[in-house]
């Protein structure tokens, strides 16, 4: 068994696509219409193109419990998911230059350094570097 797809709830798939590709650097893998203005929209890491796909899931627009959960995580400041990076400080500086808003600047805790940013689509995302 292996993980091949991870979904992240987004309120606007096109806005999320632009953010995740132009600012975070993910690559578009699949884009298929599903009806009702929804798409099967997946991305992959440019550094791991055969790795798991990230589905930009429009669930908060169609399933109230998903929206409530997403809102609660955002309000509490909890990250929805995390992305591993080689250098949190460098990634932080790169993303700040692209006007990405961080709620937690690079912080060391034990054997990791992390930072948290807002993806503009309803989620906090945590960057993690293993030290």
């Amino acid at each position: 068994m292996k993980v091949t797809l991870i979904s992240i709830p987004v309120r606007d798939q096109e806005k999320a696509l632009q953010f995740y590709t132009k600012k975070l650097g993910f690559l578009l893998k699949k884009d298929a219409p599903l009806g009702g203005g929804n798409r099967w929209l997946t991305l992959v890491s440019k550094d791991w193109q055969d790795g798991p796909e990230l589905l930009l899931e429009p669930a908060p627009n169609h399933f109230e419990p998903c929206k409530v959960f997403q809102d609660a995580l955002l309000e509490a400041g909890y990250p929805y998911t995390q992305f591993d990076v080689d250098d949190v400080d460098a990634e932080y500086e790169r993303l700040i230059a692209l006007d990405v808003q961080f709620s937690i600047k690079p912080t060391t805790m034990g054997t990791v350094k992390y930072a948290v940013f807002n993806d503009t689509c309803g989620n906090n995302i945590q960057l993690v570097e293993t030290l």
Side-chain angles (χ1 to χ4, degrees):
M1 190 177 308
K2 61 183 175 180
V3 176
T4 59
L5 182 89
I6 300 265
S7 67
I8 186 163
V10 297
R11 309 245 169 126
D12 181 323
Q13 285 184 301
E14 185 57 36
K15 183 178 180 182
L17 175 62
Q18 296 307 312
F19 182 86
Y20 279 77
T21 56
K22 294 193 182 337
K23 295 196 177 192
L24 300 186
F26 284 91
L27 303 175
L28 179 64
K29 177 103 180 204
K30 296 176 185 153
D31 187 356
L34 294 175
N38 299 306
R39 297 148 70 182
W40 184 260
L41 193 54
T42 69
L43 310 173
V44 293
S45 168
K46 67 180 177 184
D47 300 323
W48 193 14
Q49 294 182 33
D50 293 327
E53 294 177 47
L54 179 64
L55 173 64
L56 301 177
E57 171 65 60
N61 299 329
H62 309 289
F63 186 56
E64 186 63 21
C66 182
K67 183 180 183 303
V68 169
F69 179 65
Q70 186 186 38
D71 285 344
L73 285 177
L74 192 62
E75 185 178 320
Y78 279 64
Y80 186 86
T81 193
Q82 85 174 31
F83 300 141
D84 289 357
V85 296
D86 292 330
D87 185 336
V88 165
D89 291 317
E91 200 61 27
Y92 172 81
E93 292 300 329
R94 184 184 78 78
L95 292 173
I96 285 289
L98 294 171
D99 296 321
V100 173
Q101 300 298 307
F102 279 78
S103 58
I104 299 176
K105 295 178 181 181
T107 303
T108 300
M109 182 181 294
T111 60
V112 299
K113 184 180 281 190
Y114 70 98
V116 177
F117 66 86
N118 184 297
D119 76 352
T120 74
C121 302
N123 306 290
N124 287 314
I125 306 294
Q126 181 170 273
L127 299 178
V128 174
E129 170 190 354
T130 301
L131 303 173

